[in-house]
Amino acid sequence: MMNDREKVYLIFPAVDKGDRNLPKGLLYVGYALKKNGFQVEILQFSPEDMETNIRKIIISKPLFVGFSVFTGSQPRAAAEISKEIKRRSHVPIVWGGVHTSLLPEQCLNEKYIDIVVTGEGEETATELADFLVRKESIENIKGIGFKEDDRAIFNPPRGFIKNLDTFKMDFTLIDVEKYIKKAPPAKRAIHFITSRGCPHRCSFCYNYAFNKSKWRAHSAEFCIKEITKLKEEFDIDGIIFHDDNFFVNRKRVLQIVKAIDMNWWGEIRLDYINTDIMNEFKKTKCRCLLLGWESGNNRILKLFNKGFDTEKIIEKTKLIAKFPDIIIQGQAIIGVPTETKEEINNTVKLALKLSKIHPSMRFGIGQYLPFPGTPLYELTKKLGWDPPKRTEGWDELDSRYKLHTFPWLPWANKKLRKKMMFISRYSFFLTRSQIKTKGDLWKGLVGHIFYYFVYVRLKFGVFFFPFEIYLFDSYLMIKMKLRTKYVKKKISCKQNANIEQ
């Protein structure tokens, strides 16, 4: 029989009230804990909404409170919540996730963190919970760090899970309605993971350090079964595959997407693309492929360790343009260590060229972020960047909330940094406004006019009075409010129905 101490809260910190990213990792960890007899509740809230949630946590006297943290603004949000729990209780605070795994020493040095979990958390969290229930020493649990007399102690790392099918995302631990996305033609799409890691070694990617360049996957049969359950239980009609690298095993991918017979989105490396695979995707309900073309400069591509050049980027774009019904989201990065003004302009020029080759290709030109543990992180430090000394300081990497200083680019003054921010924002509109609008000539005309405004701004670097961004931000704000109102109404109807029953 369970007692109150056998409850575990898992928190996926929200950066703000509108943050509704699916807590994928915690769905796995929650499943593992639940499978071993623990009561589990997953919470997602921002520091703005702490009071009610923290009061609930403290009253429940849980075994521990676990946080999943990714580098960026999450560490600050998680820190604020952890401090408040620690101030008002003696509940053990446990941090895990990518950020914690990349900087375990820094995290454990914080007074508000008692234990850190490095690497995959399913087996480690379960073992930790068992030891805490029995009040046994945790000094032999692999994959954790803890404190003893204010001294940080790190146990040996835990190996990778041998059979991923042993664990799954437990969607019963959340209100699924909050995470369902409208992604035309899908009315009810949701994220899903089929594998972990990536065999490639891109010098800017956290996978290099977190997954040791290893790729492991659920079996195709397992994925088909779980996605079918989502379809039956939650009326899902779209799957957004959120793997680190979904396409490592082509045969497995095709087996999955053909069997589910559902709208799907996935990320693919540019050099995986060929005519055969595009023809296969065309036979399925493939709606969008996300790929990283990364830069308009061969020197930067070599620095990234991508294994292809700008000629290959153009060649592959011409190929995928022959399949206009499959939307392509192309990603690139600027503000890279050692990058010059001319090289940033070259990346913008290549984006404009690709938009002409592939009229419905979408773009995202993001600003480089130095993730700990990556080769470029070390280069960035050598070029003058001093990483945050405290966990809360890592929100300076989140481009949504801060204008980066780019100390690794001595020539990047405030004016240029602002220009890079505008390049990032305007690249989002480069071809998104040109997507075909069947039967709506007026909408199509407005879209084309909007596109050419964006094209001219990017081509000539003219960003005064950015009315397009003002309009879009206002649209997003209205959309978010309507979405929140809709979800609240849906939850209320669901609760009333349960009461009546």
Side-chain angles (χ1 to χ4, degrees), residues 74-275:
Q74 266 198 334
R76 179 174 292 278
E80 291 181 28
I81 297 168
S82 297
K83 285 178 185 176
E84 192 60 22
I85 295 173
K86 185 58 79 177
R87 186 180 70 83
R88 295 161 61 176
S89 75
H90 296 290
V91 176
I93 302 295
V94 181
W95 275 36
V98 172
H99 183 78
T100 311
S101 298
L102 298 180
L103 293 169
E105 293 90 352
Q106 187 182 78
C107 290
L108 195 54
N109 281 336
E110 303 291 359
K111 292 181 180 179
Y112 51 82
I113 301 174
D114 300 302
I115 300 168
V116 295
V117 173
T118 59
E120 294 174 318
E122 291 87 343
E123 294 172 342
T124 306
T126 302
E127 195 172 328
L128 174 63
D130 282 331
F131 275 58
L132 290 176
V133 165
R134 298 197 298 265
K135 294 181 170 57
E136 294 179 1
S137 172
I138 61 175
E139 62 183 12
N140 294 318
I141 300 176
K142 290 182 178 179
I144 69 164
F146 62 99
K147 295 170 183 171
E148 192 173 90
D149 298 325
D150 291 328
R151 183 168 59 94
I153 297 173
F154 290 91
N155 293 344
R158 185 180 294 272
F160 290 121
I161 294 168
K162 292 180 180 178
N163 180 9
L164 281 187
D165 288 0
T166 308
F167 302 103
K168 65 179 181 179
M169 288 190 284
D170 189 344
F171 285 90
T172 65
L173 292 171
I174 56 171
D175 180 356
V176 175
E177 291 298 325
K178 290 182 180 179
Y179 303 95
I180 290 174
K181 300 176 182 292
K182 196 171 183 180
K187 294 180 180 178
R188 295 174 61 80
I190 200 163
H191 284 89
F192 189 82
I193 292 175
T194 78
S195 66
R196 297 180 186 180
C198 174
H200 300 279
R201 299 168 71 89
C202 297
S203 61
F204 56 79
C205 182
Y206 76 89
N207 250 299
Y208 187 87
F210 187 74
N211 286 302
K212 317 300 180 190
S213 295
K214 294 184 182 296
W215 180 80
R216 296 153 299 126
H218 286 292
S219 66
E221 294 77 14
F222 175 92
C223 297
I224 294 165
K225 179 183 175 184
E226 291 302 309
I227 292 171
T228 301
K229 279 202 307 189
L230 285 173
K231 187 176 181 179
E232 293 172 351
E233 294 177 19
F234 303 107
D235 196 27
I236 300 300
D237 64 347
I239 293 292
I240 303 166
F241 292 107
H242 209 261
D243 299 27
D244 298 309
N245 190 334
F246 181 45
F247 293 93
V248 174
N249 185 324
R250 169 180 161 172
K251 182 179 178 182
R252 172 180 166 277
V253 166
L254 292 175
Q255 186 180 345
I256 293 170
V257 297
K258 286 178 180 179
I260 63 173
D261 188 29
M262 196 184 298
N263 301 298
W264 65 273
W265 294 253
E267 184 172 348
I268 188 169
R269 273 180 64 96
L270 183 135
D271 47 355
Y272 285 10
I273 291 175
N274 56 44
T275 302

Side-chain angles (χ1 to χ4, degrees), residues 430-496:
L430 185 55
T431 49
R432 188 176 290 259
S433 57
Q434 251 189 274
I435 296 169
K436 293 179 181 178
T437 50
K438 295 178 182 177
D440 194 337
L441 293 175
W442 172 247
K443 194 173 181 181
L445 179 61
V446 170
H448 275 72
I449 293 171
F450 194 78
Y451 164 73
Y452 283 109
F453 266 106
V454 172
Y455 186 94
V456 169
R457 282 192 184 275
L458 287 169
K459 184 174 181 178
F460 297 103
V462 179
F463 300 111
F464 66 88
F465 186 54
F467 71 91
E468 304 92 343
I469 290 176
Y470 296 146
L471 287 173
F472 185 72
D473 287 348
S474 298
Y475 161 74
L476 277 186
M477 193 174 293
I478 294 169
K479 187 177 179 181
M480 189 178 76
K481 286 180 180 178
L482 290 174
R483 172 67 179 165
T484 303
K485 190 175 180 181
Y486 169 77
V487 170
K488 283 182 178 178
K489 186 177 180 181
K490 192 127 186 172
I491 293 171
S492 177
C493 291
K494 190 176 178 182
Q495 290 173 341
N496 290 335

